[in-house]
Amino acid sequence: EEHLRQAAEANSVVELSQVLPGLPPRKRTLTDDVFAEGVKKMVSYFRDEPSVEELKKEWQATCPNPQLQKHALQILLNVGFENLRLSSTAAKICGELVACGLASMEDLQEVVTRMVQNFDDIVVDHPKLPSF
């Protein structure tokens, strides 16, 4: 997060691999912000109308490759951490994606494991995290 904040303040780019280990090195661009917003919109759409078929279509359009899928899972979990009203929706989406084979349990476990390793730091930024 600190890398992203510094990049935003400097209006520059940051290596996503520094923020999300496991992703291949590449520069963060405005496209990444658009991607994140697309994933967040999925949460809103699914909360308003929980259609698994629509979720599948949105996921496949937004996340055409495995690296993007891991990044999207990270964003989904962050949505749950940041907004308790959306936490159950974000968790349901993760479950549905794994259940229908669009995301792997291994990828979800990897993302959760990375986040848990930094749990104490994350709780400082997201005090309601334990309830998610």
Side-chain angles (χ1 to χ4, degrees):
E1 280 185 35
E2 183 61 28
H3 294 292
L4 291 175
R5 186 173 21 259
Q6 290 171 354
E9 290 171 2
N11 196 23
S12 63
V13 295
V14 66
E15 288 287 336
L16 274 177
S17 59
Q18 293 172 344
V19 181
L20 299 172
L23 286 181
R26 69 182 184 84
K27 298 290 186 187
R28 183 177 182 276
T29 65
L30 287 177
T31 305
D32 295 318
D33 294 332
V34 171
F35 174 75
E37 287 305 312
V39 173
K40 290 176 183 179
K41 283 182 185 178
M42 272 190 259
V43 176
S44 295
Y45 295 156
F46 192 76
R47 180 195 63 209
D48 295 341
E49 187 178 323
S51 166
V52 175
E53 290 306 313
E54 285 302 312
L55 175 65
K56 287 178 177 179
K57 289 178 192 174
E58 287 293 321
W59 183 261
Q60 290 169 328
T62 305
C63 308
N65 66 56
Q67 287 80 19
L68 287 177
Q69 290 172 5
K70 283 185 185 180
H71 185 64
L73 290 171
Q74 176 79 42
I75 293 167
L76 284 171
L77 292 175
N78 283 336
V79 167
F81 295 163
E82 293 170 0
N83 186 336
L84 275 180
R85 290 180 294 168
L86 297 177
S87 63
S88 64
T89 302
K92 286 178 189 174
I93 290 173
C94 289
E96 291 291 348
L97 292 171
V98 169
C100 68
L102 291 175
S104 73
M105 180 59 84
E106 292 80 18
D107 286 348
L108 182 58
Q109 287 174 330
E110 181 182 322
V111 171
V112 169
T113 299
R114 276 190 305 217
M115 295 182 89
V116 170
Q117 289 172 345
N118 300 320
F119 189 76
D120 292 336
D121 294 333
I122 295 171
V123 170
V124 170
D125 293 332
H126 307 287
K128 296 183 180 184
L129 172 65
S131 58
F132 176 60

